[in-house]
Amino acid sequence: MKSATGLAIAAMIAATAAWSDVIKPDEVVFVDGAVEASLSGVSGDPVVGAELMNKGSGNCIACHQVSALSHLPFHGEIGPPLDGVADRWSQAELRGIVANAKIMFEDSMMPSFYRVDGFIRLGDAYTGKAHSDGEVQPLLTAQQVEDVVAYLNTLKEE
Amino acid sequence: MKRPQILTRAMAVTVATLCAASASADPDEDSLTINGEIEIMTEAAAPAHLDDVDTIYSGWRFRSDETQSMQMDDFDNPAMIFVEAAAEAWDQVEGTEGKSCGTCHDDVDNMRGVRAVYPKWSETAGEVRTLEHQINDCRENQMGADSWNYTGGDMAAMVGLISSVSRGLPVNVAIDGPAQSTWEMGKELYYTRTGQLELSCANCHEDSYGLMIRADHLSQGQINGFPTYRLKNTKLNSVHGRFKGCVRDTRAETYKPGSTEFIALELYVASRGNGLSVEGPSVRN
């Protein structure tokens, strides 16, 4: 009993801490395209990251091939393959690329996954309708960016 | 800024995949003759106004052999059922004036050449018009009939009928003179990166044609084959319907079918295909 309550409280504190440590999209600090600090204040989960590579607003393999995900069908060819990407880029650089690739790569075709302004004719997701006046959600949440970065960090060849 | 460095970093891998991907990287080498007699130019030298593309290709060249073969004979082309219905509608008297399309235009074969030059500047209207607009103008002002829904089935079928009699003729829309400002507007729209994904038509259909984006083999997004029968939705699809889908997929607010913006975009996209044969109604996935 006692320890269960203790755990619940510990979890609550962790959750609160995590929430308050979230860096908002317009507060992210880029240095040469890289982002040093975790966006969520918590480390990412590579297993969740792997799922985001395939689904939802991540859907990274729409444009990138990843050999480690070869069990999933249809990898795109728009961007470079991500095999060994962690040998080429540091964690901070990977975080910067996922958050807003257009800072590292000028005019990149890669969408900015953690940005909320500067869009032309922003729609309401895939409905084709205009976005309401409400708050714009980034394509990935702070934690999702961390999860994806944690997954990218596993892609080592050397 | 960091581009050169990135290029070298990614170079080794990119070269490796280029080899692996080359099977699907280009339009294929197949050629298209319909009913054993109508030769279709699915490839042509790019028109002079295109700076970043040398050769233009019909979307047909990017489809699988099975999909391609459905277009080689009208008996196998599912779009033709709709065209047959439109051929009946052609002679159907409707509206307060007691007329049909055929009353004024006689045989539909007289429409040969029309599809190839639309969208086109209309002197009477003082604006660039699509074929759909012209059809609705005839219905309302000549026949005294109701206009058709811009992307509706009746309209797509009639556009399909009128396209079918132009098959094999080169697309040749005018982009100068009074049409020029509309064309410029279309060009601007073509290169504008819209929506939360910030993608322009050019990102996918000029910079990336021949590549796979998830399960889709990107074509140049040409409209010489419209209307298209899509295996995906088993109906005839209009140009503006397709544009709407592509804009929506960038997580953007789309323009309306028949809007000034889409007319301009249609003129511009059509002009990128000047030299390809009219191929509609075509079959796509």
Side-chain angles (χ1 to χ4, degrees):
Chain A
M1 268 298 260
K2 225 179 182 182
S3 61
T5 320
L7 270 179
I9 290 169
M12 261 169 67
I13 293 169
T16 320
W19 184 80
S20 60
D21 285 350
V22 166
I23 300 172
K24 296 217 179 75
D26 50 7
E27 290 166 353
V28 182
V29 179
F30 290 85
V31 178
D32 289 334
V35 177
E36 210 52 58
S38 163
L39 299 179
S40 62
V42 182
S43 56
D45 179 347
V47 177
V48 178
E51 278 168 33
L52 290 164
M53 297 293 291
N54 176 41
K55 281 199 215 119
S57 301
N59 199 7
C60 314
I61 63 171
C63 291
H64 293 282
Q65 292 173 334
V66 184
S67 300
L69 298 175
S70 58
H71 55 285
L72 301 169
F74 308 124
H75 297 213
E77 307 165 335
I78 308 286
L82 297 180
D83 295 355
V85 82
D87 302 325
R88 298 193 286 282
W89 302 99
S90 69
Q91 172 163 308
E93 287 171 326
L94 291 171
R95 184 180 289 115
I97 293 171
V98 176
N100 186 358
K102 291 172 184 83
I103 297 182
M104 188 72 87
F105 316 113
E106 219 181 320
D107 298 328
S108 182
M109 191 167 153
M110 179 159 153
S112 303
F113 287 92
Y114 200 63
R115 220 185 80 215
V116 289
D117 52 15
F119 303 113
I120 297 171
R121 293 186 75 83
L122 181 65
D124 176 12
Y126 289 107
T127 61
K129 301 208 165 66
H131 189 274
S132 66
D133 294 335
E135 197 181 335
V136 179
Q137 298 304 321
L139 291 167
L140 296 177
T141 64
Q143 189 56 44
Q144 286 174 326
V145 172
E146 293 308 319
D147 295 340
V148 167
V149 169
Y151 176 72
L152 294 177
N153 246 329
T154 68
L155 300 176
K156 293 199 171 89
E157 284 175 333
E158 279 158 22
Chain B
M1 270 202 110
K2 269 191 143 188
R3 231 167 221 282
Q5 189 197 349
I6 277 108
L7 281 180
T8 35
R9 285 203 206 187
M11 195 70 87
V13 219
T14 313
V15 171
T17 21
L18 273 181
C19 301
S22 62
S24 62
D26 288 314
D28 67 15
E29 294 299 322
D30 296 340
S31 60
L32 174 58
T33 304
I34 299 173
N35 302 335
E37 58 180 26
I38 310 172
E39 268 187 51
I40 302 289
M41 296 268 287
T42 57
E43 176 176 341
H49 67 81
L50 274 189
D51 295 330
D52 298 318
V53 179
D54 295 330
T55 310
I56 51 174
Y57 301 97
S58 160
W60 185 84
R61 292 281 291 277
F62 297 82
R63 306 282 58 97
S64 70
D65 286 350
E66 301 82 75
T67 308
Q68 286 182 334
S69 71
M70 295 175 82
Q71 218 185 299
M72 291 179 172
D73 192 305
D74 284 353
F75 283 111
D76 301 324
N77 184 339
M80 287 304 159
I81 297 165
F82 301 92
V83 166
E84 275 162 35
E88 277 178 32
W90 180 264
D91 289 315
Q92 183 76 50
V93 171
E94 267 189 82
T96 55
E97 305 304 304
K99 291 179 189 163
S100 69
C101 315
T103 314
C104 292
H105 300 290
D106 206 1
D107 198 278
V108 69
D109 286 337
N110 289 324
M111 290 285 132
R112 184 165 166 80
V114 170
R115 169 74 278 185
V117 297
Y118 268 82
K120 175 179 135 178
W121 175 259
S122 157
E123 207 54 62
T124 36
E127 63 187 15
V128 171
R129 275 194 170 163
T130 62
L131 198 47
E132 282 89 341
H133 283 119
Q134 187 54 52
I135 290 168
N136 266 343
D137 186 67
C138 286
R139 286 185 59 85
E140 289 179 42
N141 299 317
Q142 305 293 339
M143 297 163 65
D146 289 341
S147 62
W148 277 330
N149 178 337
Y150 196 93
T151 51
D154 294 328
M155 181 62 93
M158 186 56 76
V159 173
L161 173 68
I162 294 173
S163 299
S164 70
V165 299
S166 285
R167 284 183 295 176
L169 296 176
V171 174
N172 184 22
V173 295
I175 63 174
D176 51 3
Q180 193 185 341
S181 60
T182 304
W183 182 81
E184 303 275 0
M185 178 186 183
K187 182 175 181 183
E188 175 84 33
L189 289 164
Y190 191 85
Y191 287 99
T192 301
R193 300 183 63 164
T194 58
Q196 195 163 6
L197 299 183
E198 299 181 295
L199 294 170
S200 67
C201 313
N203 282 142
C204 288
H205 294 297
E206 179 172 283
D207 305 339
S208 311
Y209 71 84
L211 300 176
M212 299 299 291
I213 186 162
R214 201 76 213 226
D216 288 310
H217 191 199
L218 282 169
S219 73
Q220 288 183 340
Q222 296 283 1
I223 54 175
N224 61 307
F226 276 77
T228 56
Y229 177 88
R230 293 188 66 188
L231 302 169
K232 186 176 163 180
N233 60 17
T234 64
K235 63 168 189 141
L236 277 185
N237 295 267
S238 65
V239 170
H240 290 195
R242 183 46 125 148
F243 286 177
K244 195 175 154 185
C246 280
V247 177
R248 182 200 58 215
D249 287 349
T250 70
R251 298 178 71 114
E253 178 190 5
T254 65
Y255 299 97
K256 286 199 175 59
S259 65
T260 314
E261 288 88 356
F262 271 174
I263 296 168
L265 188 59
E266 180 176 345
L267 175 63
Y268 178 70
V269 176
S271 79
R272 294 176 67 96
N274 272 352
L276 295 173
S277 299
V278 172
E279 190 190 304
S282 66
V283 185
R284 302 285 188 260
N285 51 325

